[in-house]
C-alpha cells in the first residue's frame, strides 16, 4: 500500500534525540554531512557508521524502518556502485578484467556514503515533526530576511506541503480502492493502457487538492493570517544543555574526521 | 447463488510501526443470498475496514473470506472476479467521479468488465433508473452537480456492474432527510427487483430498523451482536453503552410504557408504534 512508504515520515517518540531543539538537529545533520564527505579512509568510515548506529539506537529507530525508507533509493545506490565498479582505473583483480581492486573499494565506499547520507537525513525527519522542522529552518534562515529573502513564505509553503503529503497519500489510496472496486486495473496492460488507467485517480485527486487548497486559504484568512510580520509562536524554541552537548559532539565529529583525513586513514 | 463467509478475520494496519492498529479481530460471519443487512457500530469500530475485505480490496492479516466456499484471495484472478460479484460503494463516493459526462462515469465499471457497447448502454440506463438519475443529466459533467446527485451517480456506477452483493458504506452520510430517504428507498427497490444481497453500513438506527432484516453490530473491531432488529433493539441499555442509540420509535414506545400505556409487541419502526398505540386504544387527550 502507498501508506507504507515511510519516506520523510515522523515517528513520534520521547527520546533525547526527539527532544532536541530542531535547530540543533538541523545543524548536527549539516555537520554530519560535512564529516561524511570528508571520510575517506576505512577508519573514518567506521566512525561514521558507529555514529549513525548510535544515533539510531538512542532514538529507538529500528534498522527495519531505515531499510523501508532506503528501498526506493536502492536503484540509485546500485547504479552508483556499478558505475564505480566498472569505471575506476587501477590494478585489475585478474589479468584482462576491467574490474579493479580500486573499483571495488570505491564502489563499496560510495554505497556506504549514500546509505549513510540517506540514513542521517531520515533520522532527522523520523525524530522531528514537520512543524518543528520548518520552525527550526525558519529561525536558522532568519538572517536572510535582511536580504529580502522570503524566508517565512518559503518555510510556510514547506510546512504546508509536508502537512498535506500524508493526506494526499491517504486520499490517493482511497480513490484507488474506490476505482478498483469498479474494476479498474492498474497492474496489467501496455504503457499507454496503464497511463490511461491513472486518469480515474488523477482527476479526482486534483479536484480534491484544489478544493483543499481553497478551503485552507479561506480558513487562514478567516483567522486573520497576514504573513509572518509580527507573528508570535505557540511553541518557542529554546536551546538547553543537551543541545549544546549535541552541537559540541557534532563539531568533535567533524574535527575527528579531518584529523583522520590528514593522516590518510 | 452467492454465499459469503468470513472466518476468523483479523486486520491490523501499519504492522511494525508505532501506528500499528488492529481494526478488526476474529470476525466470523456468513452472508447468504438475498439478505438485507445493516452493519452498525460507533465511529472507528472497524465497519469500513470489514467491508473492504469482502471484495478483496484489503487482504486479511489472518483469517479467510470465502465466496461459495472458495477463498477470494486465492490469486489475482479471484481477487479481480470478486469485485464484479461484490459491489462496494465507498463512504462519500462522490469524490471518485472523474469522467467528462455522467453517463460515461456510470459506464466505467461495465467498461472495465469488457462488456459489449449496447449492453453497457442498457446497464447505464437501468442503473440510473434505480438511483433516480434523470436521463437529462447524462451529458452533463458530474463535477457540476449537487452533492446528492453526485452520490446517486456514484451508486449507479456500482449498480451498473450488477453485483450479486451490494455493499454501501454510509450511503446517506451528509444528506438531508428527504435525500436520505429517497436513496434508501431506491436501494430497497433495487434489492426487491434484482434479488441481490444488500448490506448497508450506517449510523442511523431509524434506517436500520426500517430497511434491514438482519443487524450486525460492531464494537471495538468485533461482532458485538448479530440478529434481527427486534433482538438487537431489545437491548437498549447495552446499545447505549457501546455508543449507539435505539430508533426513535423504540425510545418513544419505552417512554410510553413507563407511563403505563400497555403497548404490545416489539416496536422499532414508526408504523409499529402507530399500530400499537391504536391497538392499546390510548389516544392522547390534548
Ligand atoms: N488506512 C488506515 N491506516 C491505519 N489505521 C486505519 C486505517 N483505516 C482505519 N484505521 C483505523 O482502524 C480503525 C477502524 O476504522 P474504520 O474506518 O474501519 O472504522 P469505521 O467503523 O468505518 O468508522 P466510521 O463510522 O467513522 O466510518 C480506526 O481506529 C482507524 O483509526
Ligand atoms: Mg467508515
Amino acid at each position: 500500500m502507498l501508506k507504507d512508504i515511510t519516506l520523510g515520515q515522523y515517528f513520534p517518540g520521547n527520546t533525547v534525540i526527539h527532544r532536541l531543539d530542531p535547530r540543533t538537529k538541523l545543524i548536527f545533520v549539516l555537520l554530519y554531512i560535512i564529516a561524511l564527505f570528508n571520510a575517506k579512509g576505512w577508519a573514518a568510515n567506521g566512525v561514521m557508521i558507529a555514529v549513525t548506529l548510535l544515533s539510531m539506537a538512542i532514538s529507538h529507530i529500528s534498522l527495519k524502518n531505515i531499510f523501508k525508507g532506503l528501498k526506493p533509493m536502492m536503484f540509485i545506490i546500485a547504479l552508483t556502485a556499478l558505475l564505480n565498479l566498472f569505471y575506476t582505473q587501477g590494478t585489475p583483480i585478474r589479468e584482462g578484467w576491467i574490474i579493479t581492486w580500486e573499483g571495488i573499494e570505491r564502489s563499496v565506499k560510495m554505497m556506504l556514503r549514500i546509505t549513510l547520507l540517506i540514513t542521517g537525513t531520515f533520522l532527522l525527519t523520523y525524530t522531528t515533526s514537520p512543524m518543528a522542522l520548518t520552525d527550526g529552518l525558519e529561525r536558522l534562515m532568519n538572517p536572510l530576511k535582511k536580504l529580502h529573502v522570503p524566508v517565512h513564505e518559503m518555510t510556510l509553503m514547506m510546512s504546508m506541503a509536508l502537512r498535506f503529503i500524508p493526506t494526499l497519500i491517504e486520499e490517493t489510496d482511497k480513490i484507488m480502492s474506490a476505482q478498483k472496486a469498479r474494476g479498474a486495473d492498474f497492474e496489467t496492460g501496455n504503457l499507454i493502457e496503464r497511463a490511461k488507467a491513472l486518469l480515474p485517480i488523477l482527476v479526482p485527486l486534483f479536484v480534491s487538492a484544489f478544493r483543499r487548497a481553497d478551503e485552507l486559504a479561506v480558513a487562514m484568512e478567516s483567522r486573520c493570517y497576514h504573513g509572518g510580520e509580527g507573528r508570535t509562536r505557540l511553541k518557542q524554541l529554546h536551546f538547553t544543555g543537551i543541545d549544546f552537548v549535541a552541537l559540541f559532539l557534532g563539531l568533535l565529529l567533524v574535527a575527528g574526521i579531518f584529523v583522520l583525513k590528514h593522516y590518510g586513514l | 447463488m452467492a454465499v459469503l463467509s468470513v472466518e476468523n478475520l483479523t486486520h491490523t494496519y501499519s504492522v511494525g510501526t508505532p501506528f500499528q492498529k488492529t481494526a478488526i479481530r476474529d470476525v466470523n460471519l456468513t452472508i447468504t443470498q438475498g439478505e438485507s443487512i445493516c452493519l452498525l457500530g460507533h465511529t472507528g469500530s472497524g465497519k469500513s475496514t470489514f467491508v473492504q475485505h469482502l471484495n478483496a480490496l484489503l487482504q486479511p492479516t489472518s483469517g479467510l473470506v470465502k465466496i461459495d466456499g472458495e477463498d477470494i484471495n486465492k490469486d489475482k484472478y479471484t481477487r479481480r472476479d470478486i469485485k464484479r460479484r461484490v459491489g462496494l460503494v465507498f463512504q462519500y463516493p462522490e469524490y471518485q467521479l472523474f469522467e467528462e459526462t455522467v453517463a460515461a462515469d456510470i459506464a466505467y465499471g461495465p467498461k472495465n468488465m469488457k462488456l459489449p457497447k449496447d449492453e453497457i448502454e442498457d446497464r447505464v440506463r437501468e442503473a440510473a433508473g434505480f438511483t433516480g438519475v434523470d436521463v437529462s443529466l447524462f451529458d452533463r459533467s458530474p463535477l457540476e452537480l449537487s452533492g446528492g446527485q453526485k452520490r446517486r451517480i456514484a451508486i449507479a456506477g456500482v449498480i451498473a456492474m450488477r453485483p450479486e452483493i451490494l455493499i454501501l458504506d454510509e450511503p446517506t452520510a451528509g444528506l438531508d432527510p428527504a435525500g436520505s430517504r429517497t436513496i434508501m428507498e431506491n436501494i430497497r427497490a433495487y434489492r426487491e427487483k434484482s434479488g441481490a444481497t444488500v448490506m448497508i453500513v450506517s449510523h442511523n438506527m431509524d434506517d436500520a430498523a426500517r430497511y434491514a432484516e438482519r443487524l450486525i453490530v460492531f464494537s471495538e473491531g468485533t461482532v458485538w451482536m448479530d440478529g434481527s432488529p427486534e433482538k438487537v433493539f431489545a437491548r437498549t441499555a447495552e446499545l447505549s453503552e457501546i455508543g449507539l442509540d435505539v430508533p426513535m420509535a423504540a425510545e418513544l414506545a419505552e417512554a410510553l410504557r413507563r407511563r403505563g400505556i400497555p403497548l404490545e409487541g416489539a416496536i422499532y419502526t414508526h408504523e409499529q408504534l402507530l399500530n400499537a398505540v391504536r391497538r392499546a386504544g390510548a389516544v392522547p387527550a390534548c
Side-chain angles (χ1 to χ4, degrees):
Chain A
M1 260 226 277
L2 276 176
K3 231 180 252 120
D4 295 329
I5 297 174
T6 53
L7 192 81
Q9 184 190 324
Y10 172 52
F11 285 87
N14 194 25
T15 67
V16 182
I17 295 191
H18 280 90
R19 272 173 295 159
L20 282 176
D21 189 297
R23 287 171 294 178
T24 312
K25 284 188 266 190
L26 279 163
I27 296 172
F28 192 95
V29 168
L30 197 67
L31 293 172
Y32 172 88
I33 292 172
I34 293 174
L36 191 61
F37 279 87
N38 284 290
K40 299 286 186 220
W42 288 114
N45 274 303
V47 172
M48 293 312 296
I49 293 176
V51 168
T52 312
L53 289 178
L54 190 68
S55 315
M56 277 167 59
I58 298 176
S59 53
H60 294 311
I61 301 290
S62 66
L63 266 175
K64 209 168 108 202
N65 285 324
I66 297 282
F67 279 134
K68 242 185 182 170
L70 279 172
K71 235 191 239 155
M73 313 281 172
M74 278 309 172
F75 177 70
I76 298 174
I77 298 177
L79 190 71
T80 326
L82 277 182
L83 287 180
N84 276 294
L85 195 60
F86 289 113
Y87 289 99
T88 309
Q89 308 289 335
T91 38
I93 52 172
R94 255 173 68 184
E95 208 55 48
W97 285 32
I98 27 173
I99 299 176
T100 60
W101 290 113
E102 286 82 355
I104 293 178
E105 187 180 343
R106 267 270 285 275
S107 74
V108 171
K109 277 187 184 158
M110 254 351 240
M111 275 202 293
L112 196 63
R113 182 173 292 177
I114 301 177
T115 310
L116 287 178
L117 180 69
I118 297 168
T119 310
T121 40
F122 273 0
L123 278 178
L124 175 69
T125 54
Y126 281 175
T127 60
T128 321
S129 75
M131 271 319 195
L133 204 60
T134 46
D135 255 11
L137 210 59
E138 183 175 354
R139 287 289 295 276
L140 281 177
M141 298 204 299
N142 238 345
L144 293 180
K145 277 185 188 161
K146 296 262 170 7
L147 303 174
H148 297 289
V149 178
V151 171
H152 176 79
E153 285 74 9
M154 278 160 52
T155 50
L156 181 73
M157 279 195 283
M158 197 175 126
S159 61
M160 276 201 252
L162 285 173
R163 157 68 184 77
F164 279 102
I165 285 172
T167 314
L168 284 180
I169 290 180
E170 199 170 301
E171 203 138 302
T172 313
D173 247 357
K174 228 193 227 152
I175 296 171
M176 267 175 97
S177 301
Q179 307 299 28
K180 271 193 207 155
R182 294 207 278 165
D185 181 2
F186 305 118
E187 276 117 42
T188 60
N190 60 32
L191 203 64
I192 295 173
E193 277 170 351
R194 281 197 205 195
K196 258 190 175 160
L198 286 181
L199 208 66
I201 301 175
L202 293 181
V203 173
L205 196 62
F206 272 97
V207 169
S208 92
F210 281 121
R211 186 175 43 84
R212 271 182 204 289
D214 227 26
E215 282 169 4
L216 184 67
V218 171
M220 284 170 74
E221 210 144 77
S222 55
R223 282 189 256 171
C224 304
Y225 175 81
H226 48 67
E229 205 68 36
R231 204 173 152 73
T232 55
R233 302 189 172 278
L234 177 62
K235 271 200 187 137
Q236 298 284 345
L237 298 179
H238 292 294
F239 277 125
T240 57
I242 50 167
D243 291 299
F244 290 111
V245 173
L247 286 176
F248 175 72
L249 289 174
L251 286 171
L252 202 65
L253 175 68
V254 174
I257 294 291
F258 271 101
V259 170
L260 287 173
K261 189 182 177 187
H262 180 76
Y263 290 104
L265 291 168
Chain B
M1 285 308 258
V3 176
L4 210 53
S5 63
V6 176
E7 298 169 10
N8 306 322
L9 180 67
T10 296
H11 189 87
T12 307
Y13 284 109
S14 315
V15 178
T17 70
F19 308 103
Q20 180 165 335
K21 162 108 202 170
T22 300
I24 48 175
R25 65 168 59 89
D26 205 19
V27 173
N28 289 285
L29 282 175
T30 304
I31 294 158
T32 46
Q33 183 65 35
E35 277 192 294
S36 155
I37 302 171
C38 192
L39 202 62
L40 298 164
H42 57 84
T43 186
S45 57
K47 308 181 293 293
S48 301
T49 307
F50 173 69
V51 295
Q52 286 178 63
H53 282 88
L54 302 183
N55 69 346
L57 275 175
L58 288 178
Q59 268 79 56
T61 306
S62 68
L64 283 175
V65 182
K66 290 181 182 167
I67 189 155
D68 301 331
E70 192 188 16
D71 183 5
I72 66 168
N73 289 302
K74 202 172 76 192
D75 53 43
K76 81 175 180 213
Y77 303 103
T78 58
R79 274 206 292 271
R80 185 192 63 199
D81 292 342
I82 189 70
K83 292 186 179 72
R84 298 175 182 175
R85 301 184 66 183
V86 179
L88 174 60
V89 182
F90 271 76
Q91 226 161 338
Y92 297 106
E94 47 274 29
Y95 294 125
Q96 77 202 29
L97 303 177
F98 70 99
E99 282 280 13
E100 279 166 62
T101 67
V102 168
D105 210 292
I106 299 176
Y108 180 65
K111 234 194 233 155
N112 282 328
M113 294 166 75
K114 311 248 186 315
L115 295 171
K117 204 156 177 246
D118 43 342
E119 162 100 42
I120 294 181
E121 264 167 38
D122 276 354
R123 286 187 175 208
V124 169
R125 218 165 279 279
E126 182 200 73
F130 273 128
T131 54
V133 175
D134 199 75
V135 182
S136 65
L137 295 177
F138 273 19
D139 293 321
R140 297 267 298 273
S141 159
L143 300 180
E144 62 191 24
L145 301 177
S146 79
Q149 285 169 322
K150 283 186 196 166
R151 183 78 55 95
R152 290 159 191 283
I153 293 163
I155 296 174
V158 173
I159 286 184
M161 298 170 73
R162 294 203 186 137
E164 293 161 52
I165 299 172
L166 177 67
I167 304 173
L168 301 106
D169 198 346
E170 303 201 26
T172 61
L175 294 184
D176 63 282
S180 316
R181 195 154 338 116
T182 19
I183 285 200
M184 293 302 287
E185 288 298 344
N186 288 336
I187 296 168
R188 195 221 291 264
Y190 170 73
R191 178 177 160 258
E192 280 164 4
K193 282 221 184 92
S194 68
T197 308
V198 172
M199 179 190 260
I200 295 172
V201 177
S202 177
H203 281 285
N204 188 323
M205 294 297 153
D206 290 310
D207 279 353
R210 214 184 168 111
Y211 297 100
E213 288 154 10
R214 173 178 172 194
L215 304 185
I216 300 172
V217 186
F218 268 64
S219 175
E220 313 283 339
T222 57
V223 177
W224 179 79
M225 198 172 172
D226 179 357
S228 65
E230 284 142 68
K231 249 174 75 191
V232 172
F233 290 135
R235 297 167 67 174
T236 320
E238 288 151 279
L239 277 172
S240 73
E241 251 167 53
I242 62 162
L244 293 175
D245 294 334
V246 288
M248 188 91 91
E251 222 169 312
L252 203 53
E254 187 60 33
L256 289 172
R257 279 183 186 130
R258 250 180 289 147
R259 302 211 170 172
I261 299 175
L263 300 177
E264 289 159 10
I267 299 171
Y268 47 88
T269 68
H270 299 329
E271 288 76 21
Q272 289 166 339
L273 177 63
L274 209 59
N275 288 334
V277 170
R278 288 224 178 92
R279 259 182 279 126
V283 182
C286 50

